[in-house]
Structure formats: structure tokens, C-alpha cells
Amino acid sequence: MLINIIVWLIFGGLAGWLAGFLTGAKDGIVTNIIVGIVGAFLGGFLMNLLGQGGVSGFNIYSLIVAIIGAVVLTLILRAFNRSR
């Protein structure tokens, strides 16, 4: 159980950093890490909806899932901020 949380944090942090890089977000490293962690959960949820596995361990597939979730979350947050 604890190792799963650690994996989520590591992948989330890395995914947030990469999502910030891919989307051109200039929100700062702490914000990117938070978005990455939440995005890892979102990516797992989205993949489960599609019938695929979510973040399942320390592997490339899980990292890709986390990056997808972080990019989606970054784009949603960006759209929400523009609408205000």
C-alpha cells in the first residue's frame, strides 16, 4: 500500500513536469507537480473508463498514463482560467 502511494507521487511529479513542458505551462514546478499527482489519478480513472489499466506499478505504461492525465488536467485548468 505505501509503495503504491510512493509510485503515484513519483509518477505524478514527473508527469506534471513533462505535462508542463508539453503544454507550455509556466506555472512553476510546485504547481506542475501537484497537477501531475492529480493528473495521475485522472489518467488512471480515464484509462479504467476505456477498459485499460491505470497506474499499475513502476513501469513505462504507468508513466504514460500519468502523463496523459496530467496533460488533460492542464488543458482543463487552462480552459477554465480563460473562461473567467
Side-chain angles (χ1 to χ4, degrees):
M1 179 70 176
L2 180 61
I3 191 71
N4 290 339
I5 294 170
I6 293 169
V7 168
W8 278 95
L9 292 174
I10 292 170
F11 278 163
L14 184 58
W17 177 74
L18 289 171
F21 177 76
L22 292 172
T23 61
K26 304 217 184 297
D27 298 323
I29 192 158
V30 173
T31 302
N32 285 344
I33 290 171
I34 293 169
V35 167
I37 292 168
V38 175
F41 285 103
L42 177 62
F45 176 75
L46 292 173
M47 294 306 283
N48 283 327
L49 286 178
L50 296 173
Q52 302 296 319
V55 175
S56 59
F58 203 78
N59 55 49
I60 296 296
Y61 175 78
S62 295
L63 180 60
I64 291 170
V65 169
I67 292 170
I68 290 169
V71 167
V72 168
L73 183 60
T74 300
L75 296 175
I76 289 170
L77 291 174
R78 188 179 287 172
F80 178 73
N81 286 335
R82 286 185 186 163
S83 68
R84 290 201 281 167

